[in-house]
Amino acid sequence: MELTADGLPRPVDVKSKDLHIRLAETPDEVRLAQQLRYQVFVEEMAVVPSDEMRREGREFDSYDPYCDHLLVFDNSPDASPQKVIATYRFMRREQARKAGQFYTQGEYDISPLLDYPGEIMELGRSCVHRDHRTGIGMQVLWRGIAAYVMHFNVDLMFGCASLFGTDVDKLALPLAYLHHNHIAPENLRPRALPELYTDMNLLTSEEIDAKAALMSLPPLIKGYLRLGGWVGDGAVVDHSFGTTDVCVVVKTDGVTEKYRKHLTRGEGETRPTSGEGH
């Protein structure tokens, strides 16, 4: 087992063919994650960066110094050194305490999650390099999530997951489908902050074509649902990212061997994904 610079076992240390999944261990490696986020969120999704972000070519915020950053390195012979092809950001209770709050609290009242007795973990800022969106990028990220969850004994995962676009009427089908079929139980149900609350109950259950709704959901949200995930009450339109967010909650007892095999199989499967959780 490889060790960190501090001589400790790596919380995440997964290898799959030419890919290596682990946490960032230095400030330079965190910057690699931020540079990939800039490529995806700013250059592809047209998120408006600050002047500092534009100068430095990286997307960052005040939460980054407190988080763990999962990285997927491409170690294939033709890859450039330290090439990161996917990333995810994690924050546990103690890290959120130091940061002042979880990122999600800027959009949702997550009191039911904060009251949960076990360890909780926020996921966000997921993205995959455009050249690696053939399924494997997101699949290996899920393997990293599973390893992290087991290492830190995380009982509950949550975070803001995004649907592309800010026109809620155009997103009525997926939002209503999530509301009618995957709403979190009341004791684990976040609620969008009153000033940001957007009703998801836009269609009756009879008006919903479930197959079409599932096809319209981003791969990341479908991945959460495969793990038995739920959504909170209300969506939030994020004009800065050009997305409409839902708060996803997943109990990690759903991260079983059966689901991990399901989520990491079929490396040739086409499943485009970019950045869908922030």
Side-chain angles (χ1 to χ4, degrees):
M1 178 181 291
E2 294 185 50
L3 304 178
T4 67
D6 298 328
L8 300 173
R10 284 175 168 161
V12 180
D13 194 6
V14 179
K15 294 183 179 178
S16 175
K17 296 185 178 179
D18 290 324
L19 302 180
H20 187 188
I21 308 105
R22 63 173 175 82
L23 300 182
E25 296 173 357
T26 66
D28 284 343
E29 289 184 349
V30 173
R31 281 191 284 273
L32 292 175
Q34 294 168 336
Q35 288 166 0
L36 177 59
R37 283 158 40 181
Y38 188 91
Q39 292 171 24
V40 173
F41 297 137
V42 176
E43 295 178 354
E44 292 188 51
M45 294 174 57
V47 171
V48 179
S50 67
D51 291 341
E52 185 179 2
M53 289 181 191
R54 188 178 288 106
R55 284 195 305 270
E56 299 186 12
R58 58 190 183 96
E59 191 274 330
F60 56 87
D61 65 16
S62 61
Y63 294 93
D64 279 335
Y66 303 97
C67 296
D68 287 324
H69 300 264
L70 186 71
L71 305 176
V72 180
F73 290 94
D74 181 1
N75 293 326
S76 57
D78 58 344
S80 57
Q82 293 282 284
K83 181 178 180 180
V84 171
I85 61 112
T87 186
Y88 225 128
R89 189 172 78 176
F90 305 152
M91 180 182 279
R92 289 171 283 113
R93 284 190 193 273
E94 179 61 18
Q95 294 164 309
R97 185 189 66 78
K98 293 177 180 177
Q101 65 173 34
F102 285 103
Y103 174 93
T104 304
Q105 288 176 272
E107 296 187 358
Y108 284 84
D109 176 357
I110 61 168
S111 300
L113 308 183
L114 298 177
D115 292 340
Y116 194 79
E119 178 66 278
I120 64 175
M121 156 186 159
E122 179 184 66
L123 306 98
R125 287 301 198 272
S126 69
C127 58
V128 179
H129 190 280
R130 70 170 75 208
D131 295 338
H132 294 268
R133 293 175 197 158
T134 55
I136 191 171
M138 200 63 222
Q139 290 160 5
V140 296
L141 281 173
W142 277 113
R143 294 179 64 178
I145 291 169
Y148 188 93
V149 160
M150 290 185 289
H151 181 86
F152 289 105
N153 296 314
V154 174
D155 297 305
L156 197 68
M157 308 186 299
F158 68 95
C160 293
S162 304
L163 293 90
F164 295 111
T166 58
D167 186 335
V168 176
D169 290 336
K170 292 182 178 179
L171 297 171
L173 178 61
L175 289 175
Y177 169 82
L178 291 171
H179 173 82
H180 285 290
N181 296 279
H182 298 283
I183 194 76
E186 191 170 351
N187 66 324
L188 291 176
R189 188 182 302 167
R191 180 177 173 83
L193 298 177
E195 66 274 19
L196 301 175
Y197 186 95
T198 296
D199 193 1
M200 296 170 62
N201 189 15
L202 301 170
L203 300 170
T204 66
S205 56
E206 292 75 21
E207 293 175 299
I208 295 171
D209 180 336
K211 184 176 180 181
L214 277 169
M215 289 182 64
S216 70
L217 288 173
L220 182 62
I221 294 179
K222 286 191 281 192
Y224 289 136
L225 297 183
R226 289 189 189 102
L227 291 172
W230 304 292
V231 297
D233 180 9
V236 173
V237 176
D238 186 340
H239 292 283
S240 65
F241 267 77
T243 60
T244 298
D245 298 343
V246 294
C247 188
V248 179
V249 180
V250 181
K251 292 185 73 173
T252 62
D253 54 13
V255 189
T256 62
E257 190 65 28
K258 171 187 173 183
Y259 281 107
R260 277 182 284 159
K261 286 181 179 178
H262 175 72
L263 289 164
T264 58
R265 73 187 179 191
E267 293 184 351
E269 177 186 358
T270 300
R271 184 178 295 174
T273 181
S274 55
E276 299 168 327
H278 58 271

